[in-house]
Amino acid sequence: MRRIVFALVAVAPLAGVVASMAPASGQTDQEAAPIFGVKIPPGYRDWRLISVAHEEGNLNDLRAILGNDVAIKAFREGKLPFPDGTIIARLAWSYDPLEESEKAFGRRQSFVAGPPKNGVQFMVKDSQKYAATDGWGFAQFNDGKPADEAAHNACFSCHAIVKARDFIFNRYAP
């Protein structure tokens, strides 16, 4: 949710209206994630969908992978490595059976996203700033607060297995 602030600006001899948008949550002064210094990008929930995923095991969640305009363009063009300015977001929710579906089919058939889960994660491409991690900075936020340093230390080593895809697990699903 955004708060829109209007201010009247006098411009000789006309008066104009200037609108600025600031997050209602006050995220402009938010904390940066440890190690990489990444902050939650404004407006990331309005980015385009790259793909969806179901993570099993201990995480057991549904995920939406979103990308800023730079990321979407690179995915569409199949461009590797991703260009600087690429930002990818991972949102996750619990993986919950749809009660009505179970009643209709007599078994668990459909699953839907439940409450948010496992924080929100970001990958930011800046080949100079994050040279030590092959150009990627990582961040995880839980309830708007950065996860601890140990969580961030695990990011790059986990993504190393997909180095051939520039450290990106997901594939574009047009």
Side-chain angles (χ1 to χ4, degrees):
M1 179 147 105
R2 295 188 181 279
R3 176 184 58 212
I4 299 176
V5 180
F6 290 95
L8 290 177
V9 179
V11 180
L14 304 170
V17 177
V18 175
S20 73
M21 295 182 71
S25 63
Q27 286 184 345
T28 54
D29 294 327
Q30 70 187 0
E31 294 177 61
I35 303 172
F36 300 100
V38 174
K39 291 186 175 185
I40 297 174
Y44 74 91
R45 287 186 176 268
D46 294 327
W47 292 352
R48 290 188 195 107
L49 183 69
I50 294 169
S51 70
V52 294
H54 171 224
E55 184 74 27
E56 290 191 358
N58 293 337
L59 297 175
N60 195 31
D61 61 33
L62 290 175
R63 297 169 173 217
I65 311 303
L66 308 176
N68 67 356
D69 289 340
V70 177
I72 296 299
K73 184 176 189 294
F75 270 108
R76 287 180 177 166
E77 295 174 357
K79 185 175 182 152
L80 288 178
F82 286 87
D84 284 358
T86 296
I87 307 175
I88 298 170
R90 191 278 293 148
L91 308 173
W93 300 267
S94 64
Y95 179 70
D96 297 347
L98 184 61
E99 211 175 294
E100 296 83 359
S101 177
E102 190 170 343
K103 289 176 185 173
F105 294 101
R107 62 184 169 83
R108 287 187 172 185
Q109 171 85 15
S110 300
F111 294 81
V112 295
K117 181 177 178 179
N118 303 323
V120 60
Q121 296 174 343
F122 297 97
M123 290 180 68
V124 177
K125 186 70 177 259
D126 184 325
S127 55
Q128 290 184 356
K129 186 175 183 179
Y130 306 119
T133 48
D134 284 314
W136 287 102
F138 300 87
Q140 177 169 333
F141 296 87
N142 301 316
D143 297 321
K145 299 285 184 195
D148 62 19
E149 196 168 316
H152 289 88
N153 273 327
C155 297
F156 182 67
S157 60
C158 185
H159 283 259
I161 195 161
V162 286
K163 184 176 182 172
R165 289 199 312 263
D166 198 17
F167 303 91
I168 303 296
F169 282 106
N170 290 88
R171 295 174 181 92
Y172 183 58

